[in-house]
Structures are given as C-alpha cells and as structure tokens.
Amino acid sequence: MHGQGPAHGQGPAYGQTPPYDPSYGHAPSHGQGAAYGQGRSYDHGHPYDQGRPPAGPAYEGHAVEETRPMPIVPDMPDVPAGGGDGEQDADRGTARLNGPLFRDDQAPRPPREPSPAAAPRQAPSQQQQQPQQQPQPSSRRAEPPKAKKSAGRDLGAAIGVGVGLGVVIVASLFIVKAVFVGVIAVAVVVGLWELTSRLQERKSIKAPLVPLAIGGAAMVVAGYVRGAEGAWVAMALTALAVLVWRMTEPPEGYLKDVTAGVFAAFYVPFLATFVAMMLTADDGAWRVLTFLILTVVSDTGAYAIGWRFGKNKLAPRISPGKTREGLVGAVMFAMVAGVLCMEFMVDDGAWWQGLVLGVCVAGSATLGDLGESMIKRDLGIKDMGTLLPGHGGIMDRLDSLLPTAPVVWLLLVLFVGS
C-alpha cells in the first residue's frame, strides 16, 4: 500500500518534507505523481475517477498559500524506483502538456499523440494561448439587391432590325404592290423552313419542305390575283402535294409527317394570304399599313405596360412573361391606334370602327403569340430561329401577324367594303 507523495517532478514545498497525511484522501495528480498504469493501487477505497479533472499538487495544511505556483524543475536527481529516464521523460512530457508556467521557461518538447481511447483535456493555459476566434457572422442574411427588370433581348439590335424591316415593307408597299407580294412570299418560305426544321430536330417529324415552299408561295400569289377563291384552291393543292410527296419515303411516320405538313401549310402561307387580299382594294396599301401598325402597337403596349406594371400572370403555363396588365395595355394602345388609323388612313372609316378594330386586333395578336409559345414549349425551344438579331427568327415576328391578318381583312370588308 503506497501513500501519496508530492507531485512527481516537484520537490518538497520550501524544503519541508512533511509526511503524507492520509486524512486528506487526495489521489496523486495524473501525470504528476507515479506514472499512470504502473501497477500502483490505492487502498483508501477511492479508486481514481477518470471522469473528474486531475487534482493539483497537494500541499500541507499549514503551508502558506502561494499566489503563483512554483516552476517545474526540469532535472530532478530523485527518480522513483522503476521509473528510469523513460518515465521521467514521460512525466515531463505530460507536465509540458499543461504548458510552461513562465514565459522564460524552456521550450517544451513535442507533445505525445493522445491515445484514441481517451483524449487529454486541454489545460487552461493552452486555452489562453489559442488565438481568439473570429466573431461569427450574423445569422441574419443581408437581403440581395433587387434585380432590375430586363427585356431579355438585345434592344438595340431589335430596334435596328425592326426599323430596317419597316423601311423595306413600307417602300415596297407604296411603290409597287407586286414587290410587296414578293416580300410576303419570301417571308412565308423562310417561315416554313424554320418551322419544318424545328419539327425535324426536336420531334423527328419530317414535314416535306419542297411542296410546302412551292405551294405556299403560289398560295400568296393566288390570293392576290384571284382573291379568296384562289387562296382556297391553292391551299387544297398544296395539301394534296404534301400527301403525294411523302409517299416516296418509307411508311413509318407517314401520318404524323403529312399532318404536320398540312398544319404548316395552313398556319403560315394560308393565313398570310389574307394580307395579299387586303392589298387588292383601292386603298389596299393603307389597309395593310393599318393592319401592321395595329399589330405592332398592340405588341408594344403589352410589353410596355406588362414590363412596368405587370403582376398577374395571363397564362403562366404557356408564356410566363405575359400578364393581364399587359393585355389591358395592348387593348388600350390598339384602340387608340385603331381610332387614328380609321379616321385618317382608311377611306370611309369611322372612329368607333377603330375602337372595335383595336380590341379585336389586341385579342388576336395575343392569341397568336400564345399559340406559337405553345408550339415552342412543346418543341422545347425559345426561338424558332436566329435569322433576325434581337428578334429570333421570321416566325417569331409572324406569330402575332398571321392570326391577325384574317381578322383585320374581315372587319375592313364589313366596315368599308372590299
């Protein structure tokens, strides 16, 4: 049975060698008395509790309390039996884990790697020597700046291309009507090429382009020369040509290919034929210009009002950018433009007719835009083409014009005759 001596590595306090008083009942400090695990046991009924922090060096009851602990003496002549230099180094290393007590103490040896079973507790001196942690940032996230509304396109290029197209259309419209008919035919052929190309790329639908292009151009010319009868006959012949042309290929996918071909013939050239039929009237150039102005103004009003005040989505599943406020703006802008056009551009027109015309144009233009948006969503594309910088393709400009053409043609025939 062994008593508790002073902490290993420290001599008696101030030269005194008091006998160990068992009434205190303190076990030696871990790492400062006998080496832990050397076979010593305590017969006082109090085994060493590992969950309790190590006790400091024991002092005699009558010893004067020191305000500063004595430094650890690095070299002690008294070595416990069986300890040897290895035990002394081990105890010294354990003491060094607590850090030097004075700044001028010798540099500590590299600490031993802690046992995986029990990691050593960090001494207060080490906690003081650790650098202060940086203050954690506030849990409150700074609100990001509100993103500015963007048109989503290059407005400079879009305006430049729009002005260029307008000059070509107006020049051909008022100089030689036949030239304007040629412009319509070219736009129809390019639109058919864009539509059939996207169908083949995205859906593997091979609508025959050759009969569609030839029949579409012929349809526009027939409508200008023979009116509505010529347009319907050309439409029927074009559909028949699509059916026959597709027979030269394997039958797989025949039904979907010819269906797409007939749809393309109706959607692009047949609707465009009504623009050519408007041109046949005595004031045909002004009627076509009224049709173009009302459609462009309707689109501009929808964009301007929707961009500035739009909050309620019109058709979020089809076109998330369109709002109800934008539709109201389209109707207001188109009504004002309709009144001005019917009063000053169309022969025998009346202002109230302009109001009706404006409401109908705003509705048909919006439906046409939504219809092409539905097609593009089904195909998984944003634009039909890239021919017009800032606009996309030709079909992206014809989307609201094509369904509006028959509406304007019919209303003008009803209001002022053919």
Side-chain angles (χ1 to χ4, degrees):
M1 171 177 179
H2 297 278
Q4 296 182 356
H8 182 68
Q10 295 184 0
Y14 298 101
Q16 298 178 4
T17 56
Y20 170 70
D21 188 358
S23 62
Y24 284 91
H26 293 290
S29 299
H30 181 61
Q32 293 182 356
Y36 183 72
Q38 296 296 327
R40 297 184 181 181
S41 60
Y42 306 98
D43 55 357
H44 294 284
H46 300 283
Y48 182 70
D49 188 7
Q50 295 184 0
R52 191 173 54 186
Y59 293 94
E60 201 172 7
H62 62 275
V64 180
E65 183 179 359
E66 294 291 328
T67 59
R68 297 176 60 186
M70 295 298 292
I72 298 175
V73 180
D75 296 325
M76 290 297 298
D78 296 333
V79 179
D85 294 337
E87 184 178 353
Q88 182 179 0
D89 292 340
D91 290 342
R92 187 181 301 165
T94 307
R96 287 297 183 181
L97 289 176
N98 294 331
L101 299 176
F102 297 96
R103 295 182 180 178
D104 56 352
D105 197 1
Q106 296 179 358
R109 296 182 182 180
R112 293 182 302 175
E113 294 184 359
S115 174
R121 297 175 59 88
Q122 192 176 17
S125 58
Q126 279 190 338
Q127 296 179 0
Q128 294 177 2
Q129 290 177 1
Q130 288 183 351
Q132 296 183 355
Q133 296 181 354
Q134 297 294 333
Q136 296 293 335
S138 175
S139 58
R140 247 178 110 182
R141 294 182 180 178
E143 295 182 359
K146 294 183 179 180
K148 295 182 179 180
K149 291 184 178 181
S150 174
R153 297 183 183 272
D154 187 351
L155 289 181
I159 294 174
V161 172
V163 171
L165 290 176
V167 171
V168 172
I169 291 173
V170 173
S172 61
L173 186 61
F174 286 95
I175 295 176
V176 180
K177 292 183 178 180
V179 176
F180 182 72
V181 174
V183 172
I184 299 175
V186 171
V188 163
V189 172
V190 176
L192 287 170
W193 169 72
E194 291 180 348
L195 180 58
T196 55
S197 298
R198 302 296 87 78
L199 288 174
Q200 185 172 357
E201 291 174 0
R202 309 299 297 185
K203 296 292 185 178
S204 300
I205 298 176
K206 299 178 180 179
L209 178 61
V210 174
L212 284 174
I214 297 175
M219 208 179 301
V220 173
V221 175
Y224 177 71
V225 176
R226 302 293 299 179
E229 294 180 358
W232 278 112
V233 172
M235 173 64 196
L237 293 176
T238 302
L240 181 60
V242 169
L243 296 175
V244 174
W245 189 279
R246 180 59 181 79
M247 290 181 184
T248 60
E249 298 183 7
E252 289 79 14
Y254 177 82
L255 184 59
K256 67 177 182 179
D257 292 345
V258 297
T259 303
V262 174
F263 164 74
F266 174 82
Y267 181 50
V268 183
F270 181 75
L271 295 181
T273 302
F274 287 92
V275 182
M277 289 192 294
M278 272 189 280
L279 194 59
T280 59
D282 295 338
D283 57 348
W286 295 105
R287 294 192 184 193
V288 173
L289 186 61
T290 298
F291 152 71
L292 294 174
I293 289 176
L294 288 179
T295 307
V296 173
V297 168
S298 173
D299 290 344
T300 304
Y303 169 76
I305 301 300
W307 179 79
R308 182 64 180 86
F309 303 103
K311 294 181 180 178
N312 302 307
K313 302 296 183 181
L314 180 62
R317 297 183 61 183
I318 302 175
S319 181
K322 292 196 179 333
T323 60
R324 299 176 184 176
E325 293 80 3
L327 178 60
V328 173
V331 172
M332 294 173 56
F333 277 54
M335 289 175 65
V336 173
V339 170
L340 296 177
C341 290
M342 292 301 292
E343 282 286 340
F344 301 103
M345 296 175 62
V346 178
D347 296 342
D348 301 329
W351 65 269
W352 64 269
Q353 296 171 349
L355 294 177
V356 176
L357 192 62
V359 173
C360 294
V361 166
S364 62
T366 302
L367 290 176
D369 200 352
L370 291 176
E372 199 201 16
S373 297
M374 180 73 81
I375 296 174
K376 291 190 289 187
R377 280 197 170 275
D378 186 23
L379 297 178
I381 58 178
K382 181 181 179 181
D383 295 323
M384 282 290 187
T386 57
L387 187 62
L388 304 177
H391 292 270
I394 290 291
M395 285 300 299
D396 296 303
R397 294 300 91 202
L398 298 179
D399 54 357
S400 56
L401 291 170
L402 290 175
T404 304
V407 174
V408 175
W409 174 82
L410 179 61
L411 288 176
L412 290 177
V413 169
L414 294 176
F415 289 157
V416 296
S418 60

